[in-house]
Amino acid sequence: MKRMKTPDFNALLGPGGALETCIPLYENRPGQAEMAKAVWRVFSSGGVLLAEAGTGTGKSLAYLLPALLLDKRVVVSTGTKALQEQLARKDVPLCAKALGREVKAVTVKGRANYLCLHYWSRFLAEPLLKEKGEARLFSTVARWAEKTRTGDRAELKGVPDDLSFWNEISARGERCLGTKCPLYRDCFVVKLKREAEAAEIILTNHHLLFADLAVKSRAADARVLPDYTHLVLDEAHDVESAATSFFGTTASRRMLGELLRDASKAAPKERPALAEAISNAERAAERYFEVWEAGGERKITIEPRAIPDGEPELRQRLANLLDVVGHQLEAAGGASDEAFGLLERLETWREAFVFALEESGADYVRIAEVRGKNVLISANPIDIAPVMKEKLWTTLQSALLTSATLCTGGSFEFLRRQLGIDGAGVDELRVQSPFDYSSQGLFYVPERFPQPSSPEFLEALCQEALSLVQASRGRAFLLCTSFKNMRALAQFLETTIPYPLLVQGDEPKGLLLEHFREAGNAVLCATVSFWQGVDVQGEALSLVVLDKLPFGSPQDPLTQARIERLKKAGRDPFNEYQLPSAAILLQQGAGRLIRSKQDRGVVACLDVRLRQKGYGRLLMASLPEFQTTGDLSAVQAFFR
Ligand code: SF4
């Protein structure tokens, strides 16, 4: 690529620069300009930049400004919706102000966030509401649907996140009829795609980015993102898990049920054979998924001894009856475009099902998961590095991967191996956080404590958490590695602390955080989804307790498969996979505490392996430079 003249980032971001005039409480952050220059180099010359930028660096502006000066379309993908919204509401307008011009930016969320006009018109004709109270919500949605210009459900105020019929009316990709849809021209997703084509910055998230890449080769018109050659992956520590789920295939009971229901609604009256084929297939699907459901809620590797009795025969019967539905839809296709669309959906479902159960080879782990009434049969790639190379890296001119936590033990090696980033043209940058962790925070690991595997651990965890929460006067996140520990802790604290207690699952995540901030002295019990991407500044969060080191569960089929694969290759799964994964998550969990220069507080990790095991040193070395203590009275003194 031809090198372009480097803009003066010191003048833009430094003292007296354009940014200072736009921000009331401006702080000079030298690391920000350093990162912006490195980002510019990679954008203008090509290649990959891995940039670990400590919390408080101001990394969003450090990549948005070079992206806007590049004069090319840049896609920015985040791990969480919260960051995506922050970029759209705060950072992009700030850049526009600093540059003194308008910026064409568009936010693209996952398709399920948008209203599908086609399924909405169906639902309007025959609204199937599960409860009486939903009539009011239905009217709210109907009023909004009449006037919305974007179809983005974020505009819908006063309806719960888990609105029961949203699934029926959202523009999810697996139900979309694409160009066969009668409302294709007015479709919100299609309009959004056109807007994205004209934008210079596209703000999206990893889920949509990888879902879009996954459909790129098989259903180009189901894509939402236009082609792009410059990409920013923020919160890049999270890329592997997002990519794994989308580069695999899943066939679920819910998807098949919806498909057959949609087919049944669309079946022309003059085709009774189609209606009969659908109802036979529905019965066969019920019987098929019941054999998996009989084992109860679980997530298991599908291997010969895990196949339930009778499954092969029921699978064959289901396949035969879906064949009949396919033939009938094909025959009906002449009469309706919708039948063709449904036929394509059926083919996609069957391909995923057959691939997951029969065709995925040694590079995939096959998983059966029973989640409530849903059963998911999937095949996930064990190693996503080759897929990332083929589907992403080779299609780009430049990419920036950034996060506050990308390194383990000071090295990017783990990230590079995970994501298949190798060869020439890869630069690395580490920008230190401007926070003074040694005076702002204390890291507490008790001198003596039961091992996490011992029967006494849970009781000790509850007692220690109580002492810590009393010392901090509430204002605490208690982050657990399992629902079991979270529930036990919440149950114990319910009657022992005088502070508001919030528990993950009681309310949607956003609302829980809102209530936490408002209360000022609340205690929040949560699991792994709160270890990252959560930002609470100020005194409302002064204590973060981590129950134990976040090693992936060896019962998890994907973790198991990755460990086995490394073992077979004569490598060391603990040091090459389990330990670095835990180090990243531990940094993320501990990183919830200090979010600004004014924040102070304590991170407590109640896992003595940090002190007693050799690998504890590596994990400690990956953390910010807090002062450390093993003495509870030092924690109490800190809060006094
Ligand atoms: S094109 Fe797809 S998402 Fe858009 S209205 Fe039609 S079915 Fe819905």
Side-chain angles (χ1 to χ4, degrees):
M1 269 174 80
K2 200 172 128 225
R3 194 177 268 274
M4 298 155 80
K5 189 169 176 290
T6 309
D8 187 350
F9 288 108
N10 291 332
L12 264 172
L13 295 161
L19 201 66
E20 184 169 1
T21 57
C22 308
I23 302 181
L25 294 171
Y26 168 84
E27 279 171 17
N28 180 31
R29 306 170 198 224
Q32 193 177 41
E34 184 194 350
M35 180 170 164
K37 286 178 213 167
V39 174
W40 173 262
R41 271 197 303 278
V42 78
F43 277 171
S44 57
S45 315
V48 176
L49 173 65
L50 310 176
E52 183 179 79
T55 313
T57 305
K59 62 180 160 45
S60 316
L61 298 188
Y63 61 71
L64 284 173
L65 281 169
L68 288 166
L69 291 164
L70 188 68
D71 205 19
K72 301 253 170 66
R73 179 187 296 147
V74 178
V75 170
V76 177
S77 177
T78 64
T80 55
K81 269 195 202 169
L83 179 58
Q84 194 184 1
E85 274 164 26
Q86 181 205 304
L87 294 175
R89 287 206 193 132
K90 188 172 143 229
D91 298 328
V92 169
L94 199 59
C95 288
K97 221 167 155 189
L99 295 172
R101 68 168 175 87
E102 263 191 37
V103 164
K104 279 194 236 154
V106 61
T107 300
V108 180
K109 302 178 189 169
R111 298 181 58 121
N113 288 280
Y114 301 94
L115 180 74
C116 166
L117 287 173
H118 173 70
Y119 288 108
W120 171 240
S121 66
R122 282 276 166 84
F123 194 75
L124 259 182
E126 200 184 327
L128 285 174
L129 302 175
K130 287 193 185 126
E131 292 163 27
K132 261 191 180 171
E134 285 188 333
R136 184 187 60 79
L137 297 172
F138 174 72
S139 314
T140 310
V141 175
R143 278 195 303 278
W144 165 76
E146 257 179 39
K147 58 178 196 299
T148 177
R149 298 167 76 90
T150 64
D152 181 353
R153 71 163 293 182
E155 297 170 353
L156 248 178
K157 302 292 172 218
V159 290
D161 283 1
D162 57 352
L163 181 67
S164 71
F165 57 87
W166 180 258
N167 230 9
E168 288 290 318
I169 58 174
S170 77
R172 283 176 298 131
E174 71 259 26
R175 294 177 86 199
C176 176
L177 302 173
T179 48
K180 309 268 184 339
C181 171
L183 296 169
Y184 185 78
R185 278 163 56 110
D186 298 316
C187 170
F188 293 120
V189 175
V190 174
K191 282 187 192 160
L192 183 67
K193 192 173 169 178
R194 267 185 234 125
E195 261 181 66
E197 267 161 14
E200 48 188 322
I201 292 272
I202 298 172
L203 303 172
T204 186
N205 56 59
H206 300 339
H207 281 91
L208 179 82
L209 184 93
F210 289 108
D212 199 77
L213 274 177
V215 296
K216 190 174 172 182
S217 46
R218 56 182 162 81
D221 60 291
R223 290 190 70 193
V224 185
L225 297 177
D227 288 337
Y228 52 91
T229 50
H230 300 276
L231 175 67
V232 174
L233 290 163
D234 199 343
E235 297 175 322
H237 60 272
D238 220 13
V239 162
E240 194 205 27
S241 64
T244 300
S245 50
F246 288 102
F247 289 146
T249 59
T250 300
S252 74
R253 177 192 221 171
R254 198 204 70 198
M255 281 154 76
L256 182 62
E258 276 176 354
L259 194 165
L260 293 172
R261 250 196 336 272
D262 290 343
S264 167
K265 281 184 201 161
K269 289 207 172 41
E270 62 278 14
R271 291 201 168 268
L274 172 57
E276 194 189 335
I278 293 168
S279 83
N280 289 341
E282 279 176 330
R283 277 196 297 277
E286 274 315 290
R287 290 214 51 206
Y288 175 76
F289 286 112
E290 271 164 18
V291 294
W292 289 104
E293 199 186 1
E297 286 227 1
R298 68 212 159 118
K299 189 173 180 183
I300 52 163
T301 307
I302 302 175
E303 48 191 348
R305 64 196 159 107
I307 303 273
D309 287 345
E311 190 275 348
E313 298 78 25
L314 290 168
R315 187 194 319 172
Q316 190 54 53
R317 179 167 167 69
L318 176 61
N320 294 344
L321 290 169
L322 289 178
D323 256 351
V324 181
V325 175
H327 291 316
Q328 289 295 334
L329 280 171
E330 214 170 339
S336 99
D337 270 353
E338 192 168 358
F340 271 129
L342 285 160
L343 185 59
E344 271 174 26
R345 269 174 73 189
L346 181 63
E347 286 310 313
T348 309
W349 190 92
R350 292 185 63 188
E351 274 169 26
F353 185 63
V354 171
F355 183 80
L357 280 171
E358 293 163 21
E359 291 173 355
S360 50
D363 291 335
Y364 287 81
V365 55
R366 300 181 298 149
I367 300 172
E369 184 178 359
V370 180
R371 211 191 285 162
K373 290 300 288 174
N374 200 8
V375 179
L376 300 98
I377 306 287
S378 60
N380 292 284
I382 297 171
D383 179 5
I384 61 154
V387 201
M388 289 292 282
K389 274 188 200 168
E390 183 202 322
K391 298 217 185 248
L392 189 59
W393 307 134
T394 50
T395 66
L396 298 173
Q397 284 178 24
S398 71
L400 161 70
L401 288 86
T402 187
S403 164
T405 55
L406 288 184
C407 293
T408 51
S411 158
F412 288 94
E413 179 53 30
F414 177 57
L415 180 83
R416 281 173 171 261
R417 249 190 293 116
Q418 255 189 336
L419 302 183
I421 300 171
D422 47 32
V426 182
D427 281 340
E428 295 176 354
L429 175 75
R430 294 189 76 194
V431 182
Q432 293 303 321
S433 164
F435 303 155
D436 180 0
Y437 285 98
S438 64
S439 68
Q440 289 183 251
L442 186 65
F443 194 86
Y444 167 65
V445 185
E447 293 281 357
R448 272 184 224 94
F449 208 75
Q451 292 289 332
S453 55
S454 91
E456 290 84 41
F457 179 78
L458 207 50
E459 170 66 22
L461 168 70
C462 292
Q463 293 296 344
E464 193 76 357
L466 175 62
S467 304
L468 288 162
V469 165
Q470 282 168 340
S472 64
R473 301 180 298 283
R475 309 182 296 157
F477 271 9
L478 309 183
L479 303 179
C480 298
T481 44
S482 67
F483 278 100
K484 180 176 153 240
N485 286 7
M486 181 197 82
R487 285 191 205 108
L489 203 48
Q491 206 176 3
F492 175 75
L493 294 176
E494 204 173 6
T495 52
T496 49
I497 55 166
Y499 311 109
L501 181 69
L502 304 167
V503 184
Q504 180 182 336
D506 284 356
E507 292 178 295
K509 190 173 176 180
L511 217 53
L512 271 181
L513 287 171
E514 217 176 293
H515 290 156
F516 183 86
R517 289 189 189 100
E518 275 166 16
N521 64 346
V523 173
L524 171 76
C525 290
T527 64
V528 89
S529 69
F530 281 73
W531 282 61
Q532 42 192 330
V534 171
D535 192 19
V536 178
Q537 288 190 18
E539 289 190 6
L541 179 59
S542 298
L543 168 70
V544 172
V545 179
L546 310 172
D547 67 339
K548 53 184 184 173
L549 295 174
F551 286 114
S553 161
Q555 270 86 48
D556 174 64
L558 201 55
T559 307
Q560 226 173 54
R562 286 180 173 153
I563 292 173
E564 282 309 314
R565 170 163 279 219
L566 287 167
K567 271 190 196 159
K568 269 191 198 144
R571 287 165 56 190
D572 174 354
F574 184 71
N575 282 308
E576 289 189 38
Y577 170 56
Q578 292 163 282
L579 189 55
S581 302
I584 299 277
L585 199 48
L586 181 66
Q587 291 172 59
Q588 281 289 327
R592 295 313 97 212
L593 182 69
I594 306 291
R595 311 301 298 169
S596 78
K597 280 189 177 172
Q598 286 71 40
D599 286 356
R600 292 184 81 249
V602 173
V603 177
C605 182
L606 305 181
D607 191 330
V608 279
R609 290 176 296 178
L610 262 181
R611 287 190 177 280
Q612 296 169 352
K613 301 284 181 190
Y615 59 75
R617 271 193 300 281
L618 185 134
L619 293 172
M620 291 295 280
S622 297
L623 291 168
E625 289 171 353
F626 291 111
Q627 281 188 52
T628 56
T629 183
D631 185 356
L632 185 60
S633 60
V635 175
Q636 289 158 339
F638 182 94
F639 282 117
R640 273 199 300 272

